[in-house]
Amino acid sequence: MKLIFEKSVPGRRMTVLPVCDVPPAELPRELVRDTAPALPEISETDLSRHYTALCRHVHGVNCGFYPLGSCTMKYNPRIDEEMASLPGFTNIHPLAPAHTVSGCREVLDTAAQYLCRIAGMDGMTFQPAAGAHGEFTGVLLIKQYHDARGDSKRTKIIVPDSAHGTNPATAAMCGYQVVNIPSAPNGCVDLEALRAVLGEDTAGLMLTNPNTVGIFDENILEITRLVHEAGGLCYYDGANLNAVMGVVRPGDMGFDCIHMNLHKTFATPHGGGGPGAGAVGCKEFLMPYLPQSSLMTGSECLQVRSFAGNFLVVVKALTYIMTLGREGIPEAAQNAVLNANYLMHRIKGTFTPAFDRLCMHEFVLDLSEFKKETGVSALDVAKSLIDYGMHPPTMYFPLIVHEALMLEPTETESRETLDWAAEVFGKLYELGHTDPEWMHHAPHNAQIGRPDEVQAARRPVVRWQKA
Ligand SMILES: *Cc1c(COP(=O)(O)O)cnc(C)c1O
């Protein structure tokens, strides 16, 4: 497909402005550029077609199944967007006098109350702009707590190897030494390994639960007890709360602080290019260190972002929570778990689950045997799914499973869609044995086949340059 710049024809316009009937004002000479900007010149029809064509090349939740593990690509009710586009919410200014934005204040306060109740926490801030930013904020709470007590020997944060990759990065960004501990064969935290590293230098533990292989740690209470006993605090990575919301509360499991990605679980799609919100909650004793979200409290309190964070994401989350209500929130979680288990069982006859046990909202397939048999890799399977109209699952993550495909079907998929997905996986399993070549070269029907992933990550070309 051609770029909009390549479709440009000199002099082509879509004139919408009337002829100027006032004398033109001259701009100061020093502000005027020497050469005209290289903007595309194109008619309105062609512009509209260009963007519509681009839109058709994108796979979204409204186009088809999107089982991208850990990212909760679920369908989000349109009413959430509708509420977030109300002029009373969109036309405010962060410096508006408090009495003119008391409705917005109420949205923040109410959302904080509900999320505190869901997480089992006492305080909540909406400042962090995303999950990793929330983790950073949460671990800073832990740091400030130890600093305030003059406990300077706590220099280490423990991170199990089944954690999300952002966890060790966060701990390092906060100036901590990261202590990695291995998982037990059942996919849970190895308690012996945990005991062995706990000590006077432990600042805390960061835990993703359910972890990245989709397992709820059965020793969760023992884990938090051990960390507290050593004087550390417990951080809950609740980026994806889909399996537990309304069912169990991280606060009751013994965690001291948490971040939740409102842009996964609570109505804003993850990775959609828009803003997110990594709401951070904590227990009462950490509240003095919590950055405030108030519209007007301004500079005197700790801030990790300007003003109240991405406010409209909170509007969507509140709408979502109020629409589902006390009964709907746990029901959504239960259906997410049901759908994941259903799909795992339907696929199980072909590809092998990494952990063949009850999963939470997601599960991981281990394709290492399949690759040995056929030479077809997890990447080949993921690429082949594109030809069947399915978004690939998360690949090669978590690192503790080789040839991993991580699937999270979410609760908003019908049984028919899950059956179809299982059939597609079944077909690809067969194809791996009969026509591996086809799979090595998939996708056959996409705009982009197999970009050089190193180049794409290290030197992405995302900007058109005038020749
Ligand atoms: C998505 C995710 C994160 C990071 O969230 P971002 O908003 O992408 O920064 C952290 N932890 C877990 C478990 C996640 O699934």
Side-chain angles (χ1 to χ4, degrees):
M1 188 176 154
K2 276 189 177 173
L3 298 175
I4 187 87
F5 294 98
E6 294 164 339
K7 292 179 180 169
S8 176
V9 177
R12 188 152 296 168
R13 290 281 181 278
M14 37 179 161
T15 312
V16 287
L17 294 176
V19 178
C20 182
D21 58 357
V22 292
E26 290 294 327
L27 288 169
R29 191 71 201 95
E30 69 276 17
L31 295 181
V32 178
R33 56 192 301 161
D34 295 328
T35 48
L39 296 175
E41 300 177 79
I42 191 164
S43 74
E44 187 169 337
T45 320
D46 291 333
L47 184 70
S48 166
R49 283 183 189 154
H50 179 77
Y51 284 110
T52 307
L54 270 184
C55 168
R56 274 204 301 262
H57 294 318
V58 174
H59 185 96
V61 182
N62 342 32
C63 309
F65 192 43
Y66 205 139
L68 190 65
S70 259
C71 289
T72 315
M73 301 306 288
K74 62 186 181 185
Y75 177 80
N76 291 305
R78 281 298 151 255
I79 188 169
D80 305 323
E81 295 293 336
E82 228 173 278
M83 291 303 112
S85 51
L86 289 176
F89 293 142
T90 55
N91 293 344
I92 52 167
H93 190 279
L95 292 175
H99 71 275
T100 64
V101 288
S102 53
C104 299
R105 177 78 262 154
E106 192 174 335
V107 165
L108 291 172
D109 291 345
T110 313
Q113 274 171 28
Y114 284 144
L115 286 167
C116 277
R117 227 182 286 170
I118 289 171
M121 295 290 157
D122 301 314
M124 186 77 48
T125 178
F126 295 116
Q127 271 193 5
H133 195 195
E135 288 173 34
F136 181 69
T137 309
V139 173
L140 283 186
L141 299 186
I142 294 177
K143 196 178 176 73
Q144 288 180 91
Y145 166 79
H146 291 310
D147 285 353
R149 291 161 50 254
D151 194 348
S152 55
K153 58 190 178 306
R154 300 194 177 270
T155 53
K156 293 179 181 165
I157 292 269
I158 301 164
V159 182
D161 62 2
S162 61
H164 194 266
T166 47
N167 293 181
T170 293
M173 285 292 286
C174 291
Y176 283 113
Q177 204 179 320
V178 180
V179 181
N180 211 277
I181 53 167
S183 301
N186 66 358
C188 296
V189 170
D190 184 331
L191 287 181
E192 283 317 307
L194 177 62
R195 276 199 195 92
V197 294
L198 282 169
E200 285 195 336
D201 55 1
T202 302
L205 164 88
M206 293 183 83
L207 198 71
T208 305
N209 184 59
N211 63 19
T212 54
V213 289
I215 292 173
F216 190 102
D217 204 301
E218 58 202 23
N219 301 314
I220 199 84
L221 293 173
E222 181 65 2
I223 292 170
T224 54
R225 194 188 66 76
L226 287 171
V227 175
H228 284 150
E229 203 176 68
L233 297 188
C234 298
Y235 182 88
Y236 192 97
D237 181 334
N240 184 325
L241 216 65
N242 234 34
V244 299
M245 59 177 183
V247 181
V248 281
R249 312 191 320 161
D252 298 338
M253 300 174 208
F255 287 87
D256 304 294
C257 52
I258 178 177
H259 88 271
M260 292 174 276
N261 281 15
L262 303 189
H263 54 289
K264 276 180 184 166
T265 313
F266 298 100
T268 297
H270 184 243
V280 170
C282 66
K283 291 280 177 68
E284 193 163 5
F285 72 100
L286 289 175
M287 278 169 67
Y289 314 112
L290 196 66
Q292 293 305 308
S293 279
S294 20
L295 293 177
M296 276 310 297
T297 39
S299 53
E300 68 272 18
C301 49
L302 172 77
Q303 294 208 274
V304 292
R305 196 180 183 282
S306 54
F307 305 109
N310 288 323
F311 171 69
L312 293 175
V313 180
V314 183
V315 175
K316 286 188 242 182
L318 179 61
T319 310
Y320 182 83
I321 293 170
M322 292 179 79
T323 317
L324 269 71
R326 203 191 230 319
E327 300 77 26
I329 294 278
E331 194 184 328
Q334 284 152 7
N335 286 336
V337 173
L338 180 62
N339 275 3
N341 279 286
Y342 180 76
L343 186 58
M344 181 171 82
H345 278 263
R346 291 269 345 234
I347 292 180
K348 210 162 99 174
T350 53
F351 296 107
T352 322
F355 297 92
D356 193 1
R357 52 181 288 182
L358 194 71
C359 69
M360 291 290 119
H361 57 292
E362 63 193 0
F363 61 94
V364 177
L365 297 174
D366 179 345
L367 271 61
S368 42
E369 277 306 309
F370 175 74
K371 188 179 174 188
K372 251 183 247 159
E373 279 166 36
T374 62
V376 173
S377 65
L379 177 73
D380 293 333
V381 173
K383 293 285 185 187
S384 302
L385 288 169
I386 297 173
D387 282 333
Y388 283 86
M390 193 190 303
H391 194 285
T394 299
M395 307 181 295
Y396 297 100
F397 185 81
L399 302 175
I400 50 176
V401 177
H402 299 294
E403 296 298 320
L405 287 182
M406 179 204 254
L407 285 88
E408 179 182 7
T410 81
E411 75 279 12
T412 57
E413 297 300 335
S414 67
R415 179 167 174 178
E416 288 74 21
T417 302
L418 300 178
D419 285 338
W420 167 80
E423 274 160 34
V424 171
F425 271 91
K427 262 184 218 155
L428 293 183
Y429 184 81
E430 271 171 37
L431 261 181
H433 292 88
T434 56
D435 193 0
E437 265 320 289
W438 186 88
M439 296 182 73
H440 291 318
H441 296 106
H444 301 272
N445 305 315
Q447 288 293 311
I448 301 175
R450 299 195 179 210
D452 180 327
E453 296 190 2
V454 176
Q455 288 281 9
R458 304 273 165 197
R459 290 171 163 223
V461 181
V462 291
R463 199 173 138 225
W464 175 80
Q465 297 276 3
K466 193 168 186 275

